[in-house]
Amino acid sequence: MAAMAAALRALGGRFRWRTPAVAGGVRGAARGAGGQRDYDLLVIGGGSGGLACAKEAAQLGRKVAVVDYVEPSPRGTRWGLGGTCVNVGCIPKKLMHQAALLGGLIRDAPHYGWEVAQPVPHDWRKMAEAVQNHVKSLNWGHRVQLHDRKVKYFNVKAGFVDEHTVRGVAKGGKEILLSADHIVIATGGRPRYPAHVEGALEYGITSDDIFWLKESPGKTLVVGASYVALECAGFLTGLGLDTTVMMRSIPLRGFDQQMSSLVTEHMASHGTRFLRGCTPSQVRRLPDGQLQVTWEDCTTGKEGTGTFSTVLWAVGRVPDTRSLNLEKAGVDTSPNTQKILVDSREATSVPHIYAIGDVVEGRPELTPTAVMAGRLLAQRLFGGSSALMDYDKVPTTVFTPLEYGCVGLSEEEAVARHGQERVEVYHAHYKPLEFTVPGRDASQCYVKMVCLREPPQLVLGLHFLGPNAGEVTQGFAVGIKCGVSYVQVMQTVGIHPTCSEEVVKLRISKRSGLDPTVTGC
Ligand code: FAD
Ligand code: NDP
């Protein structure tokens, strides 16, 4: 650890620190003697989008700096370089999802001849330590990559001084001024705490904390019903914890609702409790340390209460724009969401200031879109490219215990855009081969392809619910992006025996009314 700390100090390089008094109000103070700015590109935010953009610009030979600073969560959780995905998002989430899936495989194992003494206890502390160690190795990897590409990294919180200058404030209060010809804002977002719920901030945690808990969260109430809520509730249940999801409306808003219902149906049949149509009003700590939650059941109007060890708020995210002093640079934000407004070139209201990733209005909040947008932006700025980021047909997967992968339009969207008569939906209920021997229930394993009805039947959307949905969906996303038709999918030879082959075997349309259950081989 001591060696790592020394190496980190070396990687940090020499800072041009200023005392706050000197730094304050010196417009253009960060310009060199010849009047030139410090950097060709300054990236604010060292997460998925910012790091990708900075590395690409450096590869193209430009002088680049990245500033990244993690404000600890209200519970005091803090982490290193890499942003949400690496530290408190995709990576720890997928590893904990994997930990939960392993529990299911251990239960299957005796059916396949393994002599495993049941039940097998799970050690949260051990899992968390392993996950956190991996995350720390990624933090380190990012620092090394920046160093190797000669990207200057500053661990400071940035705010604009003017449209070419940013003031960075380090943990101890030291300040630095940095100027650049181009500035990219990639500051992402943070979890929202619900307003008007007494005790929410005091006693609740968010996805910024859950992956860094040293001890098991125990009996948990997860409030919310989208990606974060269902994924976290899914792995907590899978790890054997008593888990309840409180949802005020529908699950997975914006997704195909038939698929969303199957996701929650599967979770409920595997032990996750659901409180539907309920909103919390108060959290208070009982003398024994447990948390008592009071809620309103919006359908009956009655009040309910329950006791939990942990309350996890998963009620959406807010953009990290408040401390950026955007008004000093003249960068416009949406008055409703406070997200940054950009055009198709990711340019803000100030032509040389750009924004990418979660902080931008109307963009998918996903790592691969932030990364691709960042790379393409750098190539346009410094590589002579004119290629724009295409946000259409972005594939995604919800890593619930039964994974849900999709790309393109939901059935509802397709019908709304093209009309019921012009849309054909092919579907199948299938049983993964590996479910057969242990006798796993496959009621929710389902795939549907939403197509135009007119030949050759352009595929508008694909929805896959089953094991490894992310792996399945990624490949088909290429075809759908390229404008594949139903006829072409049907001409594709399957790989047997897999779950993916169910997609190329979709013969039953919803309109036919025939039973879509796959039988036989
Ligand atoms: P971020 O990665 O959030 O990076 C922003 C960085 O800027 C942070 O380090 C922040 O601390 C820093 N910063 C903020 N303000 C300042 C400032 N003023 N000065 C300096 N630094 C600042 N996406 C997927 O594709 N797949 C998944 O499986 C997935 N799972 C997720 C699970 C969870 C629980 C969550 C919360 C998100 C998940 N996401 C997933 C979404 C994904 O993490 C984000 O879309 C992605 O990280 C956004 O990247 P970004 O570059 O916009 O911002
Ligand atoms: P979302 O904004 O997608 O969903 C918020 C959820 O919280 C909704 O179910 C919403 O209900 C509910 N909610 C909002 N306010 C309240 C309230 N006051 N009380 C009760 N419930 C409330 O947020 P997430 O944090 O789940 O996800 C953010 C983004 O992160 C996603 O859009 C996704 O792009 C990304 N992500 C991606 C993942 C992946 O790729 N696998 C995984 C996790 C996150 P209602 O519908 O009624 O408004």
Side-chain angles (χ1 to χ4, degrees):
M1 274 324 270
M4 191 185 261
L8 273 171
R9 278 196 297 277
L11 283 181
R14 287 193 311 277
F15 285 44
R16 293 194 305 114
W17 295 112
R18 293 160 195 275
T19 63
V22 173
V26 189
R27 190 191 152 120
R31 282 192 182 215
Q36 79 277 23
R37 299 191 178 94
D38 296 337
Y39 297 95
D40 296 320
L41 175 69
L42 172 64
V43 177
I44 308 177
S48 309
L51 289 176
C53 185
K55 288 176 197 168
E56 189 74 16
Q59 297 272 66
L60 291 165
R62 295 309 174 122
K63 195 176 174 199
V64 183
V66 171
V67 297
D68 186 68
Y69 187 86
V70 179
E71 200 60 62
S73 76
R75 286 288 291 253
T77 311
R78 55 179 79 230
W79 52 89
L81 180 64
T84 303
C85 180
V86 168
N87 295 285
V88 286
C90 333
I91 300 299
K93 179 277 304 290
K94 181 89 188 284
L95 291 174
M96 292 196 180
H97 168 64
Q98 174 65 11
L101 292 182
L102 281 172
L105 292 178
I106 292 169
R107 283 188 294 280
D108 285 355
H111 298 276
Y112 284 102
W114 292 100
E115 291 177 16
V116 184
Q118 306 278 353
V120 182
H122 179 261
D123 183 341
W124 174 282
R125 184 176 265 272
K126 206 165 184 176
M127 171 192 71
E129 199 181 310
V131 170
Q132 290 158 15
N133 282 340
H134 179 65
V135 169
K136 285 173 192 165
S137 77
L138 297 178
N139 298 149
W140 172 249
H142 279 306
R143 292 197 68 163
V144 171
Q145 284 174 20
L146 290 181
H147 181 255
D148 289 349
R149 289 172 171 79
K150 302 192 172 32
V151 175
K152 191 84 181 163
Y153 162 61
F154 296 95
N155 185 203
V156 294
K157 184 162 187 165
F160 280 92
V161 174
D162 63 39
E163 60 177 37
H164 278 290
T165 315
V166 158
R167 175 182 290 122
V169 183
K171 198 175 160 197
K174 281 191 176 174
E175 295 186 1
I176 187 168
L177 284 185
L178 302 163
S179 68
D181 292 340
H182 303 275
I183 299 179
V184 172
I185 305 167
T187 49
R190 296 296 288 264
R192 169 187 291 132
Y193 278 82
H196 318 302
V197 179
E198 202 187 316
L201 189 64
E202 210 173 343
Y203 302 121
I205 64 166
T206 68
S207 55
D208 276 358
D209 307 297
I210 185 87
F211 306 111
W212 292 88
L213 295 180
K214 294 218 177 330
E215 302 297 335
S216 166
K219 183 181 175 186
T220 303
L221 174 69
V222 180
V223 183
S226 196
Y227 274 94
V228 174
L230 297 186
E231 289 185 343
C232 290
F235 75 69
L236 293 174
T237 307
L239 296 176
L241 301 178
D242 183 332
T243 310
T244 302
V245 173
M246 184 182 290
M247 94 169 67
R248 66 177 179 184
S249 61
I250 54 167
L252 294 174
R253 183 179 298 284
F255 285 86
D256 187 289
Q257 281 303 298
Q258 182 192 9
M259 306 302 292
S260 305
S261 299
L262 287 169
V263 167
T264 51
E265 198 181 281
H266 177 270
M267 288 177 70
S269 70
H270 284 73
T272 309
R273 297 170 209 268
F274 283 89
L275 287 165
R276 291 169 188 268
C278 296
T279 51
S281 52
Q282 188 196 50
V283 183
R284 66 188 192 96
R285 195 182 281 289
L286 298 173
D288 65 359
Q290 294 291 296
L291 301 175
Q292 189 183 63
V293 182
T294 308
W295 62 84
E296 189 192 342
D297 185 327
C298 303
T299 36
T300 62
K302 286 192 181 146
E303 195 175 90
T305 56
T307 306
F308 304 90
S309 305
T310 301
V311 176
L312 175 71
W313 304 112
V315 294
R317 297 174 63 78
V318 285
D320 222 343
T321 47
R322 279 152 302 172
S323 59
L324 283 171
N325 297 330
L326 292 174
E327 64 292 344
K328 296 214 168 142
V331 173
D332 290 344
T333 54
S334 154
N336 297 329
T337 61
Q338 276 70 57
K339 288 190 170 189
I340 297 175
L341 301 169
V342 300
D343 64 16
S344 59
R345 297 170 304 121
E346 326 293 358
T348 67
S349 47
V350 183
H352 65 272
I353 302 180
Y354 301 82
I356 52 172
D358 286 11
V359 79
V360 178
E361 177 77 0
R363 299 294 193 230
E365 293 182 13
L366 297 170
T367 275
T369 50
V371 168
M372 198 181 278
R375 280 206 190 114
L376 290 173
L377 173 58
Q379 287 163 10
R380 285 196 303 277
L381 288 176
F382 307 117
S385 163
S386 57
L388 296 174
M389 174 68 196
D390 180 0
Y391 291 96
D392 190 32
K393 300 194 183 80
V394 168
T396 184
T397 290
V398 185
F399 294 97
T400 36
L402 197 60
E403 297 174 7
Y404 167 32
C406 63
V407 52
L409 299 186
S410 65
E411 189 174 342
E412 294 92 337
E413 284 168 332
V415 167
R417 273 195 209 177
H418 301 281
Q420 187 87 51
E421 275 312 299
R422 296 191 57 218
V423 171
E424 195 76 283
V425 177
Y426 295 93
H427 65 158
H429 278 287
Y430 68 98
K431 185 159 195 157
L433 177 65
E434 50 275 31
F435 279 28
T436 54
V437 168
R440 277 207 201 188
D441 178 27
S443 307
Q444 291 86 22
C445 292
Y446 180 69
V447 54
K448 76 172 170 186
M449 194 152 66
V450 182
C451 309
L452 279 180
R453 202 170 168 195
E454 188 185 342
Q457 298 191 277
L458 181 75
V459 179
L460 302 172
L462 177 69
H463 303 268
F464 180 92
L465 191 48
N468 306 307
E471 315 298 338
V472 173
T473 311
Q474 183 69 81
F476 286 106
V478 177
I480 292 175
K481 188 81 186 158
C482 295
V484 74
S485 68
Y486 172 72
V487 171
Q488 289 168 321
V489 176
M490 289 308 108
Q491 287 166 349
T492 307
V493 176
I495 300 172
H496 188 68
T498 64
C499 295
S500 304
E501 71 176 316
E502 301 305 338
V503 176
V504 300
K505 287 170 27 190
L506 284 170
R507 303 277 170 196
I508 307 287
S509 71
K510 275 196 174 177
R511 186 172 270 107
S512 74
L514 296 172
D515 181 1
T517 308
V518 176
T519 51
C521 199

